[in-house]
Amino acid sequence: VSIVRQQNARFDWTVPVVIVGGGACGLTAALAAQDAGANVIVLERDRRPTGSTGMSYGAICAAGSQLQTSAGIDDTPALLRDDILAITRGETDPELARTIADNAGATIDWLCEQHELALHVDRNWTGLGHQHPRLHAPSNRSGESLMNMLLAACDRAGIDIVTSATVNALVADEAARVSGVHIKRPDGAIEELGCSALILASCGFGANRELVEKYIPELADARYHGHEGNQGDGIQWGMALGGRVADMGAYQSLGSLATPQSMVIPHTLLIGGGVQVNALGQRFENELDDISGQALTVLDQPEGYCWIVYDQRLHAQALEAYQEYRDAIDLGTARSADSWQALASVTGIPAGALENTMTDVARLAAANDGDSFGRTFYDNENLEAPFYAIRVTGALFHTQGGLCVDADARVVTADGDPLPNLFAGGGAARSVSGPGGWGYLPGMGLCTAVTLGGIAGRAAARLVETGE
Ligand SMILES: Cc1cc2nc3c(=O)[nH]c(=O)nc-3n(C[C@H](O)[C@H](O)[C@H](O)COP(=O)(O)OP(=O)(O)OC[C@H]3O[C@@H](n4cnc5c(N)ncnc54)[C@H](O)[C@@H]3O)c2cc1C
């Protein structure tokens, strides 16, 4: 990751708005910049753009969208902002929270209406910090589908996406104005491209072990289950140009990665009444509390894993809703049996302990009662045979710290002044998840990707058009 310092650099090939990274942030930024009248190009290191976006569940939190209104959900940006401030216990930038909350719903409306994204509001995924159902996702809850929709929209808009194009250096002058980039091709050739504005949409640093060790030491030894391209390039360039970073210790982890298959098991199995049981047959936490911090609590269990235990009702619901769950079932992640005793024998959990734990859960559910971890069980969620179990472990999914941006998604210095022509969004920018692993609101990763991406695209187009 380097900066080539050059005054008045000249390039044979120039595009006004250059975007590094072809995930949700980069593609949304490209659509927004193009809609605003700028010529734009996306540079993506992979042969086919996927990013962490393509690995995700494709669920974007946003409030006050037309989709919510049509579904009869009375939600507002102010409520989303309240939820961000509540889950982060006030330890986030309130102005950024306002910018994101105020613009997310309108971004979803624009993507659906102008660019034909087919999203719907997922009503199964509620709570966990959200006052209202507000996760907007493709009907199969697949990040791959979201990527395909964004790529199709870029295709219709005639946006150039150059793949196998790793940006490995920025060219900038002493005033930190970026005049171009160096692009490394798979054969080692370096191409130079000039720009008037640069948008960093290269996500976070989850794949960079050194940076994870430095900023998130508690997960230094954990598995990373995000895109390998997310090496923190954009964040490091921004820092080298004087950009401020914050919340570098923030991240989303999950304790629900099927092992050894490495597929994400949906939390709705737990939201709907399922539980986590460790190798000793014991529960160990409120499964609905701080799901982002659960990599640590699950890795803390004997042998570093636990089982998600649930039933036929939840299995059927997840099969219908989630593509990745269908794929996980096809891969043989789940064990099932007609009694707790039989489930114990197919999982290797001690039978007596599993039976005791699940009898306890059934008793709490029958009484609509709470447990010692602070979770309440409900009668209508009582688990009934056949029962299911999937072995899961904890992993780092994506980082949430990054470059601080203003209300135009411009990267700012420690003094709060914007750098001349550098923008950031998605995982490259500081998010609104607090300073650690406990403040992540579900759907926020993609929310900041599309919302800041849209803002950055429009602002970059304005900058190249008007100079402001
Ligand atoms: C398994 C999983 C499930 C998730 N589920 C959800 C969910 O349901 N909802 C949600 O909100 N969030 C979810 N997230 C988080 C979400 O995926 C990310 O927050 C979001 O995708 C970030 O978007 P992005 O555009 O910033 O990054 P990405 O989608 O990762 O795109 C960044 C792109 O930049 C490219 N790139 C990087 N460096 C360079 C370079 N130097 N030159 C050229 N290209 C470069 C990368 O190859 C990559 O394609 C999930 C994450 C994971 C891993």
Side-chain angles (χ1 to χ4, degrees):
V1 180
S2 68
I3 305 278
V4 178
R5 294 284 178 180
Q6 211 175 329
Q7 297 297 119
N8 307 315
R10 295 264 175 268
F11 297 86
D12 292 338
W13 178 35
T14 293
V15 177
V17 178
V18 171
I19 299 171
V20 186
C25 178
L27 299 182
T28 307
L31 290 168
Q34 174 109 344
D35 279 6
N39 278 336
V40 57
I41 193 168
V42 178
L43 304 173
E44 166 56 50
R45 56 177 265 162
D46 289 352
R47 202 163 49 83
R48 196 171 62 88
T50 54
S52 280
T53 304
M55 298 174 69
S56 77
Y57 268 90
I60 310 167
C61 74
S65 69
Q66 289 297 332
L67 286 170
Q68 280 182 307
T69 308
S70 307
I73 299 162
D74 189 13
D75 197 9
T76 63
L79 292 176
L80 173 55
R81 182 170 176 267
D82 289 349
D83 289 348
I84 293 171
L85 297 182
I87 201 166
T88 54
R89 303 171 204 158
E91 289 192 55
T92 192
D93 175 359
E95 282 313 310
L96 184 62
R98 183 193 303 281
T99 298
I100 288 167
D102 282 355
N103 287 283
T107 304
I108 296 289
D109 291 348
W110 161 71
L111 285 171
C112 294
E113 287 159 19
Q114 300 291 318
H115 292 292
E116 300 174 34
L117 264 70
L119 304 178
H120 79 296
V121 181
D122 185 342
R123 283 182 169 277
N124 286 335
W125 200 293
T126 55
L128 305 174
H130 287 297
Q131 293 181 52
H132 290 292
R134 52 166 82 109
L135 292 191
H136 300 68
S139 59
N140 62 356
R141 284 295 300 265
S142 145
E144 199 180 335
S145 297
L146 179 64
M147 275 302 287
N148 288 339
M149 290 180 200
L150 286 167
L151 287 166
C154 287
D155 192 40
R156 281 191 296 272
I159 290 169
D160 287 327
I161 300 172
V162 183
T163 54
S164 301
T166 303
V167 176
N168 72 348
L170 305 193
V171 183
D173 65 15
E174 292 308 324
R177 178 176 294 278
V178 181
S179 55
V181 298
H182 288 185
I183 304 162
K184 188 168 182 196
R185 294 304 209 151
D187 63 1
I190 302 287
E191 292 169 5
E192 298 185 10
L193 171 66
C195 66
S196 301
L198 186 74
I199 299 176
L200 299 171
S202 45
C203 207
F205 58 89
N208 187 322
R209 291 322 290 181
E210 234 172 77
L211 294 184
V212 171
E213 261 170 41
K214 177 170 176 186
Y215 293 112
I216 311 178
E218 69 267 36
L219 287 177
D221 296 328
R223 219 183 281 190
Y224 168 61
H225 186 70
H227 187 254
E228 283 307 317
N230 298 339
Q231 300 284 340
D233 293 356
I235 295 175
Q236 295 181 86
W237 285 316
M239 288 169 81
L241 289 172
R244 174 175 172 243
V245 292
D247 294 336
M248 290 294 277
Y251 60 88
Q252 186 193 21
S253 76
L254 283 179
S256 53
L257 188 68
T259 178
Q261 297 87 351
S262 280
M263 313 219 36
V264 189
I265 303 306
H267 222 73
T268 49
L269 298 175
L270 297 168
I271 296 171
V275 293
Q276 296 165 323
V277 172
N278 66 17
L280 305 177
Q282 295 158 348
R283 289 183 56 231
F284 50 92
E285 66 181 341
N286 175 352
E287 293 86 347
L288 307 187
D289 191 27
D290 183 19
I291 68 166
S292 170
Q294 287 183 2
L296 294 175
T297 49
V298 171
L299 287 169
D300 238 16
Q301 299 311 303
E303 298 174 52
Y305 72 82
C306 73
W307 296 86
I308 293 180
V309 176
Y310 57 107
D311 70 353
Q312 175 67 31
R313 168 181 60 89
L314 293 162
H315 169 69
Q317 200 183 71
L319 266 188
E320 198 183 319
Y322 305 116
Q323 183 60 46
E324 187 155 355
Y325 183 75
R326 291 194 280 274
D327 295 343
I329 294 300
D330 286 348
L331 271 182
T333 51
R335 320 270 169 94
S336 74
D338 285 330
S339 67
W340 294 124
Q341 188 108 36
L343 194 71
S345 111
V346 294
T347 53
I349 305 173
L354 180 64
E355 217 160 356
N356 283 344
T357 297
M358 299 317 297
T359 305
D360 212 32
V361 168
R363 183 182 52 75
L364 292 168
N368 293 311
D369 205 357
D371 64 10
S372 57
F373 302 114
R375 174 171 176 187
T376 303
F377 287 88
Y378 299 98
D379 193 28
N380 62 355
E381 292 173 350
N382 191 33
L383 302 181
E384 285 172 14
F387 303 118
Y388 286 75
I390 296 182
R391 192 167 67 170
V392 292
T393 188
L396 170 64
F397 278 57
H398 50 113
T399 55
Q400 289 283 289
L403 295 163
C404 296
V405 295
D406 67 11
D408 281 332
R410 287 171 82 144
V411 177
V412 297
T413 65
D415 297 333
D417 300 326
L419 291 176
N421 61 350
L422 190 65
F423 299 79
R430 173 202 194 177
S431 185
V432 284
S433 299
W438 45 264
Y440 182 79
L441 205 51
M444 191 48 77
L446 286 169
C447 173
T448 58
V450 300
T451 306
L452 290 177
I455 293 174
R458 281 187 295 278
R462 197 173 62 235
L463 180 72
V464 301
E465 171 77 19
T466 66
E468 286 176 15

